[in-house]
Amino acid sequence: MAGSNKRIRNNNDLELKDRLVAINRVTKVTKGGRTFSFSAIVVVGNENGVVGWGLGKAGEVTTAIAKGIEAAKKNLVKVPIINGTIPHEQLARYGGASVFMKPASHGTGVKAGGAMRFVLESAGITDVLAKSKGSSNPHNLVKATFKALLELRDARTIAELRGVTLEKVFNK
């Protein structure tokens, strides 16, 4: 729907910074004993409107993180940012996690907790008020935050979709 045209195909020229959101140790019990594996959820972004997330699973932590970074680079999206904040309020749900984001004035900072903060900072959003409700599972929080970011639209995009001028969007 809203996020289909925001995907970024070529990411070779982007300088992406990666942030580790969570590491989970998973134990599989077999007849030979316990087998440990790790899953890592990683967020990458250029702090200028491009952000992506990925999940990596492996027998070692470093390999899981590396796989997560590669998966995140394949899942990049463009987010509209206006003066360091988001264009409008947005509410989104994924699984049991519910996310609410609200634009903030300059100097407010990123008022968000948990996994939301990593996603918003990686996207380059510097001023935002955000609240997560329901589940605090980092996987669902990251996905709910991405769902909310993909539903954001700026005034220029709305004007192009409606086929009107930018002034008409604001009823002037």
Side-chain angles (χ1 to χ4, degrees), residues 93-168:
R93 280 186 64 91
Y94 187 92
S98 180
V99 163
F100 176 71
M101 296 187 298
K102 192 175 180 179
S105 59
H106 181 71
T108 304
V110 178
K111 303 286 187 225
M116 286 180 66
R117 173 178 289 276
F118 295 117
V119 176
L120 296 172
E121 287 175 349
S122 293
I125 298 170
T126 56
D127 302 302
V128 69
L129 300 170
K131 179 69 180 167
S132 61
K133 300 175 185 170
S135 173
S136 60
N137 179 354
H139 293 266
N140 287 345
L141 265 180
V142 167
K143 292 173 187 174
T145 307
F146 264 86
K147 188 175 174 184
L149 290 175
L150 285 173
E151 291 173 1
L152 291 174
R153 300 186 300 172
D154 60 346
R156 183 173 284 114
T157 308
I158 293 170
E160 288 174 8
L161 286 172
R162 293 180 185 172
V164 297
T165 62
L166 201 59
E167 289 80 25
K168 277 263 192 169

